[in-house]
């Protein structure tokens, strides 16, 4: 991805894509303490718009706060940076990746007196789990890798180090032909996908794991709000994998995955084995919002 035209916002300046490099002794590269975000820009009715920009930037600052990393820019500056990379790379839609990482002043675990750097890149990105997945659902398998305990890597932070766990989980099931992994928490309850929150539908109600062991997803919050607005009750509670087996419908949510139906978990088909009606309804509401077709939640879109 390094060798392409375009610009990346790097510590306050837009630099040519190929020049956005860092030293091999960058602290974060060695010990994994860094935080990041993932956002989508959509081709909305009135031009490219970033979905829930301010909420993502707030989560980035929360993640940095958890790790005591002091971001040397304010939120407004980083909001402008995220708009700028979409605009200057002439994207009509795409994925935006802000990352906060330590500099290369010193090795060692004290991590004291290190500079904090921020880069923001953006590139075109289609459906993460495939266009077919959005329509027909994906096949998911429970992985043998457990999601982080709350006192291991801080589940409220979207941190670089969290994602070795996600990659292990995803690779384990992908090599057996599944589209995505489901991770359980240390007590064996459903946590989330490798990069998604999970929901199930049972008798017209929506259930999702409470926030103990999963990321506080911004798509998750949006879907909960959209569901409640059309009178669907949303319940956050511990879920077991066999509750998912017996659900009427199930789906993943995430910036990359958007709302992706799950048609099968551990070789048990879920509900009708295709996208369910409530999933489809929520997808329609969600895509109408993000594409600016609906006037509801206009404040979720930040035009670039
Ligand atoms: N869980 C994990 C582990 C993730 O990486 C993501 C993607 N950021 C999510 C959940 C969904 O979060 P969001 O809807 O904010 O993208």
């Amino acid at each position: 991805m390094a060798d392409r035209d375009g610009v990346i916002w790097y510590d306050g300046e837009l630099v040519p894509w190929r020049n956005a490099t860092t030293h091999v002794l960058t602290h974060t590269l060695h010990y994994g303490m860094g935080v990041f975000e993932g956002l989508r820009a959509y081709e909305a009715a009135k031009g490219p718009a970033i979905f829930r920009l301010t909420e993502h930037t707030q989560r980035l600052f929360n993640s940095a706060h958890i790790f005591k990393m002091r971001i040397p820019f304010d939120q407004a500056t980083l909001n402008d940076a995220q708009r700028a990379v979409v605009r200057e790379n002439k994207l009509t839609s795409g994925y935006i990746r802000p990352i906060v990482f330590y500099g290369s002043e010193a090795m060692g675990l004290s991590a004291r007196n290190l500079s904090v750097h921020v880069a923001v890149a953006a590139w075109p990105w289609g459906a993460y789990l495939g266009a077919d997945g959005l329509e027909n659902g994906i096949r998911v398998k429970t992985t043998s890798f457990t999601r982080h305990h709350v006192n291991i890597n801080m589940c409220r932070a979207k941190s670089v180090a969290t994602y070795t766990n996600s990659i292990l989980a995803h690779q384990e099931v992908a090599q057996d032909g599944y589209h995505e992994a489901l991770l359980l928490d240390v007590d064996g309850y459903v946590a989330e996908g490798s990069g998604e929150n999970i929901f199930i539908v049972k008798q017209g109600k929506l259930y999702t794991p409470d926030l103990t062991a999963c990321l506080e997803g911004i798509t998750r919050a949006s879907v909960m709000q959209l569901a409640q607005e059309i009178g669907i009750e949303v319940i956050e509670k511990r879920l077991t994998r066999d509750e998912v087996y017996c659900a009427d419908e199930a789906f993943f949510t995430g910036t990359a995955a958007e709302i992706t139906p799950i048609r099968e978990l551990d070789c048990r088909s879920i509900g009708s084995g295709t996208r369910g009606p409530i999933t489809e309804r929520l997808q329609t509401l969600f895509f109408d919002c993000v594409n600016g077709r609906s006037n509801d939640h206009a404040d979720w879109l930040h035009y670039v």
Side-chain angles (χ1 to χ4, degrees):
M1 282 191 80
D3 186 23
R4 46 164 100 178
D5 295 333
V7 289
I8 289 178
W9 189 96
Y10 195 179
D11 284 342
E13 282 173 59
L14 288 168
V15 301
W17 195 283
R18 293 179 185 83
N19 298 355
T21 55
T22 187
H23 198 270
V24 290
L25 295 183
T26 297
H27 195 276
T28 303
L29 186 61
H30 295 255
Y31 304 118
M33 188 174 270
V35 297
F36 69 102
E37 269 304 319
L39 305 85
R40 266 189 195 269
Y42 286 93
E43 189 169 0
K46 288 184 273 170
I50 302 173
F51 182 64
R52 305 202 79 168
L53 171 64
T54 51
E55 288 85 347
H56 279 278
T57 304
Q58 180 63 57
R59 190 171 65 185
L60 183 72
F61 276 74
N62 291 350
S63 299
H65 173 69
I66 290 168
F67 288 120
K68 300 207 296 184
M69 299 179 82
R70 212 189 58 76
I71 298 178
F73 300 98
D74 61 18
Q75 294 200 21
T77 303
L78 292 194
N79 288 339
D80 287 346
Q82 291 169 88
R83 285 196 183 89
V85 291
V86 175
R87 202 173 49 238
E88 299 302 323
N89 288 302
K90 299 187 175 39
L91 297 173
T92 48
S93 65
Y95 187 78
I96 306 161
R97 165 57 54 81
I99 182 162
V100 175
F101 57 98
Y102 278 135
S104 53
E105 288 80 8
M107 280 293 138
L109 302 185
S110 69
R112 263 188 285 122
N113 302 324
L114 296 173
S115 54
V116 176
H117 301 272
V118 185
V120 187
W123 57 87
W125 224 20
Y128 177 62
L129 294 166
D132 179 68
L134 281 178
E135 203 174 317
N136 298 315
I138 57 167
R139 298 180 62 233
V140 176
K141 180 155 174 57
T142 306
T143 167
S144 67
F145 293 98
T146 301
R147 199 36 139 185
H148 293 287
H149 180 269
V150 285
N151 272 334
I152 290 182
N153 201 39
M154 307 296 103
C155 299
R156 288 291 73 72
K158 187 167 169 66
S159 81
V160 171
T162 301
Y163 286 84
T164 47
N165 178 243
S166 286
I167 294 170
L168 287 169
H170 182 81
Q171 285 183 338
E172 183 186 52
V173 306
Q175 75 186 17
D176 289 336
Y178 297 91
H179 298 104
E180 184 53 300
L182 177 68
L183 290 100
L184 307 179
D185 66 18
V186 286
D187 296 318
Y189 292 88
V190 171
E192 59 181 345
S194 72
E196 305 87 11
N197 293 111
I198 186 170
F199 286 83
I200 63 170
V201 177
K202 188 77 185 171
Q203 291 172 345
K205 294 181 185 165
L206 210 49
Y207 296 85
T208 191
D210 63 53
L211 288 175
T212 312
C214 61
L215 187 71
E216 189 169 2
I218 291 166
T219 321
R220 174 185 184 274
S222 309
V223 164
M224 287 167 73
Q225 195 172 333
L226 291 171
Q228 280 157 348
E229 284 167 3
I230 55 168
I232 296 174
E233 191 181 342
V234 184
I235 299 149
E236 295 175 79
K237 74 172 202 70
R238 277 182 146 183
L239 293 175
T240 60
R241 63 200 277 185
D242 54 3
E243 280 180 278
V244 184
Y245 297 159
C246 299
D248 300 328
E249 303 177 33
F251 57 87
F252 277 137
T253 63
T255 297
E258 299 168 305
I259 300 177
T260 298
I262 300 170
R263 70 176 140 93
E264 187 187 302
L265 175 63
D266 300 341
C267 300
R268 281 107 173 145
S269 66
I270 296 177
S272 61
T274 56
R275 173 172 63 183
I278 290 183
T279 307
E280 190 173 351
R281 205 162 158 213
L282 291 170
Q283 280 181 324
T284 303
L285 289 170
F286 177 78
F287 284 114
D288 281 351
C289 281
V290 300
N291 291 313
R293 285 191 293 264
S294 154
N295 288 328
D296 295 340
H297 306 296
D299 58 320
W300 286 355
L301 293 184
H302 301 259
Y303 286 91
V304 305

